[in-house]
Amino acid sequence: MGDKHIVRFEPVGIEIEVDEDQTILRAAAENGVQLMHGCKEGQCAACKSFVLEGDMDDIDLERYSTFALPDYEKEEGSTLLCRAHAYGDLVIELLQYDEEIIRNGLPLTKGVVEVVSNESVTHDMRHLVVQLVEPAEIKFFPGQYMDFIVPGTNESRSFSMANTPNRDGIFEFVIKVYPGGLFSEYLDQRLQVGDRLEVEAPFGTFTLRENRTSDIVFVGGGAGMAPVLGLLRSMAERGVERRARFYYGARTAKDLCFEKELAELGEQLADFSYIPALSEPVAGEEWAGHTGLITAVVEQNETSLEGMDAYVCGPPPMVDAAIVTLTALGVNEQNIYYDKFTTTGEQEGEDGS
């Protein structure tokens, strides 16, 4: 372990001790302080913050994307908490934060899970179900994600839980298989029922804001199905009566999944609509629903979303486009919660989801 330094977060007034060997984000999580974050890989910019006090030479950044932190922003004092190591005391201004989330963080817990099932739900997405072997419990909020250690490596990949917390220690995931992906290849070709994997959770802030009562619009694509499914299942279990609709984008009809369950959720929830759309429908394919990019379908179907909350998850371009569309339709940007499913060099993983 390295030397320790004090990092204070403003405007929330929370101080933590950070070891030089840890990123600031990691140290906060271990202290039960749930800062806004997404990929943890310096790609999504969800944790971007500003250094109010402290020498910039006292911050060392692991490798990151200059799309997330351009050089000029870094020179002006911005940093990425998921890649930043503190080598002196700092005061950090959080540019994106939610006090409800920050002060209700759950402890990070490492564990071992055993594979219960690994089944295809589309031609390139798997429904992975695992059961906790140890410890007795890993707590999480619906919409959060878990890190898996890829067997035989020191690499980890992040995937959102599709289920709600339960006493049986069951976790469900919807994972896109990328050709040549480090975890995808293992999932697709080698992972068997009964195999065990090392994990750590919970991560992420894509959780239902319980202090809000507004109607909700969900926008997702691909494996973005997972965290939205977790939130919808939770709303149904708890009898949440907020009106909700879910816009889900897929390329073709064979890329749609969980259609039956989403229809059943429509019967369980007080007022819920599921609106799928195909961006590249195949000629001759039986499809009477919407076509086009999911953001365009939202624009076609909605005249005003003023006063609503929005939850968006999927690839970064889709998320960015959805934020523009949603704000144009009247959603306050502070009430747009998103999870960008970034990819690694091997073209896989979520993130951040």
Side-chain angles (χ1 to χ4, degrees), residues 253 278 282-289:
L278 305 183
V282 176
E285 195 173 51
E286 289 188 17
W287 178 251

Side-chain angles (χ1 to χ4, degrees), residues 130-172:
V130 301
Q131 182 163 23
L132 193 61
V133 176
E134 59 180 1
E137 182 181 32
I138 293 182
K139 294 182 178 180
F140 71 97
F141 294 120
Q144 291 191 295
Y145 67 90
M146 176 176 280
D147 276 4
F148 286 78
I149 302 298
V150 183
T153 77
N154 292 321
E155 298 278 343
S156 66
R157 295 293 183 267
S158 307
F159 301 103
S160 298
M161 274 79 83
N163 61 294
T164 58
N166 58 83
R167 294 181 180 179
D168 297 325
I170 295 292
F171 299 88
E172 295 181 47

Side-chain angles (χ1 to χ4, degrees), residues 40-92:
K40 306 197 308 295
E41 297 291 335
Q43 296 186 54
C44 74
C47 68
K48 186 185 294 182
S49 301
F50 188 80
V51 181
L52 285 176
E53 295 180 22
D55 194 327
M56 292 300 292
D57 291 336
D58 285 338
I59 299 176
D60 185 45
L61 289 169
E62 297 177 16
R63 189 175 66 174
Y64 63 92
S65 167
T66 52
F67 289 103
L69 182 65
D71 290 341
Y72 76 90
E73 289 189 356
K74 180 182 176 184
E75 291 171 4
E76 291 172 353
S78 292
T79 193
L80 298 174
L81 300 183
C82 70
R83 311 306 279 170
H85 292 256
Y87 290 88
D89 293 348
L90 302 169
V91 177
I92 302 288

Side-chain angles (χ1 to χ4, degrees), residues 5-9 16-31 33 35 47 49 51 58-62 79-92 94:
H5 306 282
I6 299 299
V7 175
R8 181 178 177 86
F9 301 110
I16 63 168
E17 196 173 57
V18 178
D19 191 281
E20 291 178 351
D21 293 339
Q22 299 174 301
T23 65
I24 295 173
L25 181 68
R26 174 79 194 190
E30 290 187 358
N31 279 273
V33 179
L35 302 179
C47 68
S49 301
V51 181
D58 285 338
I59 299 176
D60 185 45
L61 289 169
E62 297 177 16
T79 193
L80 298 174
L81 300 183
C82 70
R83 311 306 279 170
H85 292 256
Y87 290 88
D89 293 348
L90 302 169
V91 177
I92 302 288
L94 302 175

Side-chain angles (χ1 to χ4, degrees), residues 91-145:
V91 177
I92 302 288
E93 180 185 13
L94 302 175
L95 303 180
Q96 301 182 65
Y97 68 96
D98 186 317
E99 286 209 50
E100 178 188 356
I101 298 298
I102 286 177
R103 299 184 186 279
N104 290 289
L106 295 171
L108 288 178
T109 305
K110 293 184 178 181
V112 175
V113 298
E114 183 174 291
V115 176
V116 175
S117 64
N118 177 14
E119 300 177 350
S120 296
V121 287
T122 72
H123 68 102
D124 66 353
M125 287 204 297
R126 293 293 184 89
H127 181 206
L128 176 66
V129 181
V130 301
Q131 182 163 23
L132 193 61
V133 176
E134 59 180 1
E137 182 181 32
I138 293 182
K139 294 182 178 180
F140 71 97
F141 294 120
Q144 291 191 295
Y145 67 90

